[in-house]
Structure formats: structure tokens, C-alpha cells
Amino acid sequence: MEVANRRDNPSPARALRAVAAEWPFAVVFGSATVAVIMVSLGGLKRGLTVLGAALLVGSVLRFVLSPSRAGLLAVRRRGVDVITMALLGVLLLILAMITDTL
């Protein structure tokens, strides 16, 4: 009975550990959120650069960390995740570089 009670009422420390375990996703998501806000405020080139960099950081984190440590960044197989995020990050950086000419 006591074990079921612990599951029903998680302690704040346990909840904090669960949130802290998702730090790679929080870094990428937070950076992407800042980038979207930058773009919406008129900073297209800087916003695209930050978004591309966020995806490249996510790609590196997914490559370096084990699937259990990568948390929500681990969606598919490691190779697919890394290649997808890296390709999108590079394409966004290229788009940011040629934005002035568009």
C-alpha cells in the first residue's frame, strides 16, 4: 500500500529530477523558442541563425548522449535524428546567409 502511495504523490525532489533529466531537449526547445520570437519581432536573419544553431546543438547532443540521457531528443534511431537535425540546421544557416539577397 505504501508503494502505491509514493507513486500517487510524487515528491518535489522526484519531479525536479524528472524535469532535470530532459535538459538536452530544454536547451534546444528554449533556443528555438527564442529564435521564433526573434523572427516574429523582425530579426529574420538573426532568428534563422539562432534556430539553425539550436538544431545543430541538438544534433550534437543527440550524437554524443546515450538514448537514455538524450531524453526527448531521442525520437528515432540515432543516425536518423542526427542527420535530420544537422541537415535542417545547415539549411537554415544557409538561408540566413542568403536572406539579404532574397
Side-chain angles (χ1 to χ4, degrees), residues 71-83:
L72 292 173
L73 289 180
V75 177
R76 295 164 292 275
R77 290 180 294 143
R78 180 178 289 182
V80 174
D81 286 340
V82 169
I83 289 171

Side-chain angles (χ1 to χ4, degrees), residues 16-66:
L16 185 60
R17 278 193 306 266
V19 171
E22 298 299 332
W23 71 267
F25 178 75
V27 168
V28 175
F29 186 74
S31 302
T33 302
V34 168
V36 169
I37 292 170
M38 290 171 75
V39 169
S40 68
L41 293 175
L44 180 64
K45 188 170 186 141
R46 286 190 180 142
L48 288 175
T49 303
V50 171
L51 187 56
L55 286 171
L56 288 175
V57 167
S59 177
V60 169
L61 287 173
R62 178 64 177 106
F63 182 72
V64 172
L65 298 174
S66 67

